[in-house]
Amino acid sequence: MEYFILDLKDYYVIPVFLILALALIIVLISNRIYYQYNFSSRYLITRKSHRFLTEIALSKSDKNKFNQKIAKFKSEVPIHKSWCKEMLIEDLIKIKSILKGKASENILLIYEKLDLNHYSASLVRDFRKYKKCDGIYHFHALGYKPGITFIKKYMLHPNRVIRSNVNIAYLALSKGDWQAVGKFPIKVSIIATIKVMDVLHKEKIPRPAQIDLWIQSPDPMILKLAVMTMVFYNYRSKSAEIIKLLRHEDKALRIDVITAIKDLYLEAAEEELLSLLYNETLDIQLEMIEALGVIGSEKTMIFLKAEIPKQDTKDIKLKMVQSLNNLDPVGLDSLGNQDADTQKMINHFRKLAL
C-alpha cells in the first residue's frame, strides 16, 4: 500500500501540480501583457480625449461643424465601453469647473451629443448603490438640469446616503427648490448640511422663504442649517431665536450659534453670553469670549478687566486678553502694567499680530 501511494504521488500528484503552476504562470504573464497593452492604448485615448474636449469646448464652430467634430471623435474612441464613458464624463466635469459662460454651455451640449447623459441616467437606475450615486453625481457636478427628472423619484429613497446625495443634487439643479431640506437623513445630516452650504456658495440661489420655520425645528441638524444659512445671507430678522439656542442641549449647535452671533454681530446676545460663560466647557468658553470681543460693550469691558487678573486658566486668560484688546486696548495696557503675566500675554499676541 505504501509503494502504491508513492507511485501515485510520483505519477499523478507532482505532474498535476506542475501543470497547475505552469498554467498560473501563463495566466499571470498574459494578464500582464494585456494590462500593458491596454494601459498604453487607454493612455493614448485619454490624451486624445483631453485635447479634443478642451478644444471643442472653447471653439465657436457653427452647429454643423460642431456635430461633425463630435461624430468624428465618436468614431475614433471606444465610446461604447464604460471606462471610456467614465473618463469622458470626468474630463467634462473638470473642464466645466474651470470654464464659465458660453464655454460652460458647450460642455452640456457635448455631454448630450456623446450620449453620456443616457449613460448617467442608466447609472441612476442601477440597483447598485454606488452606481446610483455616481449617476447622481454626474448630473449634479455638470449642472445638468434635465437630470432632475431622473433623480427626483429617489428623494425618499430608503438608503440614507442615496437620499442625501439626491436631495443635494436636486437643490443645486433646481436652483433653490428647498423642499428637499425636510427629507435630510438624520445620521448623515451634518454632511448634508455642509453640502448645502457648498451649494449656496457655488450657485446663485435666493434666500429660502422657509428659513423662518427652520429656526423653530426640533431637529438640531435643521437648526444648524438654519443658523448657517442665516449667516450666509446675513439674515438678522430672527436674532432672538438664534440667541435662545445658546441654551440648546446640543453642544455642536451651541458652537455654531456662538459663531453666528459673532458673524451677524448680534449685540443683543452679550448679556446671555456673559451669564452662561462659566456654565460651559472650556472649548465653548473660549468661543464665547472671542464672540464677546467682537460684540461686547462697556459691560463686557468691565467684566474682562475684573476677570483677567484673577484668571488661573491660561487659555481662558489669553483669550480674555485678546478680546479686551479688541474692545479697549488702552484699558488692557493698564492691566498689563499691574500684572506681569498679563503683560507677557499682551506682548505675545501683539507680536504675532505684526
Side-chain angles (χ1 to χ4, degrees):
M1 184 66 181
E2 184 177 346
Y3 290 111
F4 175 75
I5 293 173
L6 289 173
D7 288 342
L8 184 65
K9 182 178 179 182
D10 291 337
Y11 288 104
Y12 294 99
V13 176
I14 294 177
V16 168
F17 176 78
L18 291 174
I19 291 170
L20 290 174
L22 182 61
L24 179 61
I25 292 171
I26 292 172
V27 169
L28 291 174
I29 293 173
S30 299
N31 284 341
R32 182 64 183 176
I33 293 171
Y34 178 79
Y35 172 79
Q36 289 290 355
Y37 173 78
N38 276 279
F39 178 81
S40 300
S41 176
R42 288 192 184 191
Y43 177 75
L44 292 174
I45 293 170
T46 301
R47 288 282 302 274
K48 181 182 183 68
S49 299
H50 289 340
R51 191 163 53 250
F52 171 77
L53 293 177
T54 304
E55 288 175 359
I56 197 169
L58 296 172
S59 69
K60 298 181 180 180
S61 303
D62 60 47
K63 187 176 180 180
N64 290 332
K65 286 185 178 180
F66 184 89
N67 290 336
Q68 288 172 7
K69 288 180 180 179
I70 291 288
K72 184 174 183 295
F73 175 73
K74 288 175 71 173
S75 68
E76 295 173 345
V77 298
I79 199 167
H80 60 286
K81 294 184 178 292
S82 295
W83 70 263
C84 187
K85 290 185 175 75
E86 292 284 352
M87 179 265 295
L88 290 170
I89 292 173
E90 287 177 11
D91 283 350
L92 289 174
I93 290 171
K94 290 176 183 175
I95 296 171
K96 191 175 189 303
S97 67
I98 299 171
L99 301 179
K100 302 295 180 184
K102 184 64 177 178
S104 181
E105 294 174 12
N106 281 349
I107 294 297
L108 294 180
L109 190 57
I110 297 167
Y111 181 59
E112 290 182 331
K113 291 295 183 180
L114 292 175
D115 295 321
L116 297 174
N117 55 323
H118 295 141
Y119 174 70
S120 298
S122 72
L123 293 180
V124 173
R125 291 192 297 267
D126 198 293
F127 70 94
R128 290 167 292 185
K129 297 180 181 67
Y130 75 96
K131 290 287 187 181
K132 198 179 293 292
C133 287
D134 282 347
I136 295 165
Y137 170 72
H138 293 168
F139 289 147
H140 181 184
L142 288 167
Y144 188 66
K145 290 185 180 180
I148 290 176
T149 304
F150 299 98
I151 68 172
K152 191 172 183 179
K153 65 181 74 172
Y154 298 106
M155 288 176 68
L156 295 175
H157 195 279
N159 182 273
R160 296 185 183 93
V161 176
I162 291 174
R163 191 163 73 245
S164 175
N165 288 342
V166 168
N167 289 337
I168 298 300
Y170 178 83
L171 176 61
L173 295 175
S174 64
K175 295 289 185 180
D177 185 345
W178 292 86
Q179 65 170 295
V181 170
K183 301 180 179 66
F184 284 151
I186 293 175
K187 290 191 177 179
V188 293
S189 53
I190 293 177
I191 297 174
T193 302
I194 293 171
K195 288 180 179 178
V196 168
M197 300 313 297
D198 185 56
V199 169
L200 294 184
H201 280 282
K202 290 181 178 178
E203 309 289 343
K204 295 180 180 179
I205 296 177
R207 176 169 51 85
Q210 301 96 319
I211 196 169
D212 289 343
L213 298 177
W214 296 352
I215 199 66
Q216 300 171 16
S217 172
D219 186 341
M221 291 304 112
I222 298 297
L223 290 171
K224 180 184 182 73
L225 178 62
V227 170
M228 293 175 71
T229 306
M230 286 177 177
V231 171
F232 180 81
Y233 290 103
N234 197 31
Y235 183 70
R236 298 162 51 94
S237 297
K238 293 293 179 178
S239 58
E241 284 81 354
I242 294 175
I243 294 169
K244 188 165 65 173
L245 292 175
L246 285 170
R247 296 180 180 271
H248 198 280
E249 61 183 12
D250 188 280
K251 179 179 178 180
L253 176 60
R254 295 201 302 277
I255 292 175
D256 288 326
V257 168
I258 295 167
T259 301
I261 287 170
K262 180 177 62 179
D263 292 344
L264 292 174
Y265 202 78
L266 302 183
E267 296 171 291
E270 180 185 29
E271 189 170 338
E272 191 78 341
L273 288 172
L274 289 170
S275 66
L276 295 174
L277 179 62
Y278 288 121
N279 295 334
E280 285 290 2
T281 57
L282 175 61
D283 54 338
I284 295 186
Q285 285 180 13
L286 294 173
E287 295 287 343
M288 286 179 157
I289 295 167
E290 184 174 331
L292 285 167
V294 174
I295 69 165
S297 66
E298 182 70 28
K299 184 181 293 186
T300 295
M301 293 182 224
I302 293 172
F303 169 79
L304 293 175
K305 288 173 184 176
E307 290 295 310
I308 287 173
K310 61 184 182 182
Q311 182 56 243
D312 294 325
T313 305
K314 293 293 184 183
D315 289 340
I316 295 288
K317 184 170 184 176
L318 178 60
K319 186 64 71 174
M320 286 182 168
V321 168
Q322 291 173 325
S323 291
L324 185 57
N325 185 66
N326 291 339
L327 300 171
D328 183 12
V330 176
L332 179 61
D333 287 335
S334 298
L335 283 181
N337 293 333
Q338 301 169 25
D339 177 39
D341 188 45
T342 300
Q343 189 60 53
K344 286 180 182 178
M345 290 184 175
I346 294 171
N347 296 339
H348 173 71
F349 77 76
R350 284 182 179 173
K351 182 178 179 181
L352 290 177
L354 295 175

